[in-house]
Amino acid sequence: MSNTFYPDISREKSKELFEKAKQYFPGGVNSPVRAFKSVYGSPLFIERGDKAHLWDADGNEFIDFCCSWGPLILGHNNAEVRNAVASQLEKGLSFGAPTALENDLADLILSNNNYMEKIRFVSSGTEAVMSAIRLARGYTKRDKIIKFEGCYHGHSDSLLVKAGSGLVTFGETSSAGVPKSFAEETIVIALNDPEALQTVFSQFRDQIAAVIIEGIPANNGLLIQSKEYIDFLRQITKENGTLLIFDEVITGFRLGFEGAAAHYNIQPDIITYGKIIGGGMPVGAYGSSKELMACISPDGNVYQAGTLSGNPVAMSAGIAALGILSQPDFYKNLAQVTEKFISEIREYVLSKNYELQIQLVGSIFWFAFSPNTNITRADQIDHKSMEKYKIMHRELLNRGVYFGPSGYEVGFISAAHTAQDLEKAKKAIFESLDVVFSQ
Ligand SMILES: *Cc1c(COP(=O)(O)O)cnc(C)c1O
């Protein structure tokens, strides 16, 4: 048990900015989880970042494990990305016409990826997924889709749907403003439940356009699925003429250059990207076989467009970032660093007998305050345990470590996290856990 008491950090400036922001934006933010509703205190307004470090408006410094929710796998202010963006800025911000930069990013991606042949750039993960669903419906000429409870796929109407009661049900909207009739086209089932999949496919024979799953579900804890289950999912979709969509907005370029598809050695029918692909700028993408992509306008009759799609500044950031990620051993090194960091925390947790599991894949981790050592489904998460996360979050901020402001969010290690950063963070984590478990 640590005796060191850490006073709360000063949030004066952040508070002032938040009060102002509340006059402009609903809840004072432009994306809900930023509002710190699930943790103590008001949100920190960030002034700048460099490598693995963040500074807020009050001058507090943090080691960052949120990494802008995943995109910053190279850390903040990476010199190569910054220089690429700066040199493009001098040539123009947007043309609404093709540029060679789009070819360059596509070439870098496709020549290093065995799971798709053509790609289309959009401006966010939401847009990528929304377009992938439309493509699946257009290609199969079917309307219904299956999604999994606990997977997040952005905020398009078809996907703001949660499970109703019962093993297999039509979804219920999880947001006001989504028509009930839309939700009825989305069937929601539990992860890691082969029986539920079989039941849906026998109940809705020849009606399911696509099953969408996160490469590794990482938006509601880290719910790692077994290879057997993903293989079964691939097999049952194929047998039913249903497309399998891997939403790799988090896992793409995170688990490896070829993401979860290569991790599981599974060929999905459509893959969606976001987050890392733009090197910190707003970019999304979806990719598939030449045959499927021929359905997209202007080649085919599935319409999809974007004024700022393939934006040259965003493309330059993506090219610079992915160029670094395509170097040999990048992912091997990052996974090794993460493995060492997490296993040392696990050892500490074990020595203290704390009820905490740390789920880990590649450079993604999740602290689950639970006795359950193998959480694979949303309904296995203990919502009451989030109180513990709240305390840990506050204690970590007080010790200069920034985790995402919700216990359902995963953490990320970037290539900019140094051994010294991780040593310091580890000490802060040990002390914070001591506080959590002394309450
Ligand atoms: C973040 C995320 C999205 C949505 O991407 P936005 O860029 O926030 O629209 C979709 N799917 C997954 C798996 C994500 O993690």
Side-chain angles (χ1 to χ4, degrees):
M1 165 76 212
S2 150
N3 296 315
T4 333
F5 172 74
Y6 273 72
D8 286 338
I9 49 166
S10 156
R11 303 194 196 192
E12 290 311 304
K13 289 255 168 56
S14 279
K15 269 186 202 154
E16 228 172 85
L17 290 165
F18 190 48
E19 285 312 309
K20 222 174 193 177
K22 283 198 260 186
Q23 298 169 19
Y24 306 133
F25 316 117
V29 289
N30 287 299
S31 196
V33 72
R34 295 179 196 171
F36 269 45
K37 291 263 191 199
S38 311
V39 290
Y40 290 110
S42 56
L44 302 178
F45 278 60
I46 304 302
E47 217 160 71
R48 76 189 173 90
D50 191 57
K51 305 198 168 64
H53 295 245
L54 278 179
W55 286 265
D56 71 7
D58 290 281
N60 300 304
E61 180 179 344
F62 305 97
I63 302 168
D64 180 17
F65 291 92
C66 180
C67 300
S68 189
W69 306 98
L72 299 185
I73 192 169
L74 299 171
H76 300 270
N77 195 25
N78 176 274
E80 285 175 56
V81 177
R82 183 182 66 236
N83 292 336
V85 167
S87 64
Q88 180 54 39
L89 290 178
E90 295 179 5
K91 299 180 193 158
L93 299 181
S94 178
F95 311 112
T99 64
L101 294 165
E102 291 150 85
N103 289 354
D104 293 347
L105 184 55
D107 185 51
L108 181 55
I109 294 170
L110 295 175
S111 61
N112 290 291
N113 187 314
N114 285 313
Y115 298 89
M116 58 184 183
E117 295 171 331
K118 275 196 176 182
I119 194 165
R120 170 64 68 82
F121 291 120
V122 294
S123 299
S124 72
T126 294
E127 230 188 303
V129 171
M130 183 182 78
S131 310
I133 299 278
R134 187 178 304 137
L135 169 57
R137 286 173 166 156
Y139 178 80
T140 59
K141 302 189 171 62
R142 301 173 179 179
D143 289 340
K144 292 202 190 314
I145 57 169
I146 297 174
K147 86 173 276 288
F148 296 93
E149 188 71 6
C151 282
Y152 176 71
H153 302 291
H155 66 91
S156 66
D157 284 341
S158 296
L159 293 159
L160 285 182
V161 173
K162 59 177 192 278
S165 51
L167 182 64
V168 172
T169 52
F170 293 120
E172 288 172 10
T173 65
S174 61
S175 162
V178 176
K180 197 162 168 290
S181 55
F182 284 30
E184 282 171 4
E185 302 297 351
T186 304
I187 296 158
V188 185
I189 59 173
L191 283 160
N192 194 28
D193 186 350
E195 195 192 322
L197 271 175
Q198 262 161 340
T199 311
V200 189
F201 275 106
S202 58
Q203 208 167 320
F204 300 98
R205 195 167 292 285
D206 302 330
Q207 295 177 56
I208 315 285
V211 177
I212 183 164
I213 187 166
E214 283 184 64
I216 287 181
N219 274 286
N220 183 61
L222 185 60
L223 306 174
I224 301 169
Q225 304 297 295
S226 67
K227 162 85 172 139
E228 293 70 36
Y229 179 68
I230 301 296
D231 278 337
F232 176 70
L233 178 58
R234 176 64 283 188
Q235 183 201 327
I236 197 167
T237 44
K238 198 171 255 167
E239 284 166 7
N240 285 275
T242 295
L243 301 184
L244 177 59
I245 305 174
F246 261 27
D247 180 357
E248 298 230 36
V249 172
I250 284 189
T251 50
F253 308 103
R254 167 62 66 178
L255 289 186
F257 201 86
E258 297 173 284
H263 177 85
Y264 284 111
N265 189 24
I266 284 279
Q267 175 66 62
D269 297 298
I270 309 175
I271 310 178
T272 58
Y273 297 96
K275 300 197 167 99
I276 291 176
I277 197 173
M281 297 288 288
V283 180
Y286 59 102
S288 182
S289 62
K290 285 179 187 158
E291 184 199 349
L292 260 90
M293 292 305 273
C295 299
I296 300 293
S297 55
D299 280 352
N301 56 8
V302 174
Y303 189 72
Q304 186 271 307
T307 302
L308 291 172
S309 289
N311 173 267
V313 182
M315 292 292 110
S316 342
I319 293 164
L322 268 45
I324 299 170
L325 303 184
S326 65
Q327 301 296 315
D329 291 341
F330 176 89
Y331 290 101
K332 203 175 117 216
N333 295 338
L334 191 57
Q336 264 170 11
V337 167
T338 311
E339 168 77 38
K340 178 172 181 291
F341 176 64
I342 296 300
S343 61
E344 285 164 0
I345 301 171
R346 280 175 178 158
E347 271 168 37
Y348 184 78
V349 166
L350 205 63
S351 75
K352 294 279 184 162
N353 243 325
Y354 291 156
E355 204 166 81
L356 169 69
Q357 317 299 327
I358 309 174
Q359 310 282 83
L360 166 68
V361 62
S363 51
I364 313 175
F365 64 83
W366 178 51
F367 280 49
F369 292 92
S370 166
N372 188 340
T373 52
N374 188 28
I375 300 181
T376 58
R377 295 163 46 147
D379 62 4
Q380 293 168 327
I381 301 176
D382 175 10
H383 302 295
K384 288 196 299 291
S385 73
M386 294 302 157
E387 281 306 312
K388 291 201 172 67
Y389 185 87
K390 254 176 102 164
I391 298 168
M392 183 181 77
H393 186 265
R394 181 193 62 206
E395 296 301 320
L396 285 175
L397 285 183
N398 291 346
R399 290 166 175 79
V401 172
Y402 190 95
F403 270 35
S406 156
Y408 296 95
E409 301 293 346
V410 296
F412 299 99
I413 306 275
S414 79
H417 283 84
T418 63
Q420 201 187 354
D421 291 330
L422 295 174
E423 201 52 43
K424 187 166 173 241
K426 218 171 58 193
K427 194 164 160 283
I429 290 168
F430 292 172
E431 289 181 7
S432 300
L433 290 175
D434 289 345
V435 175
V436 170
F437 287 100
S438 70
Q439 309 272 309

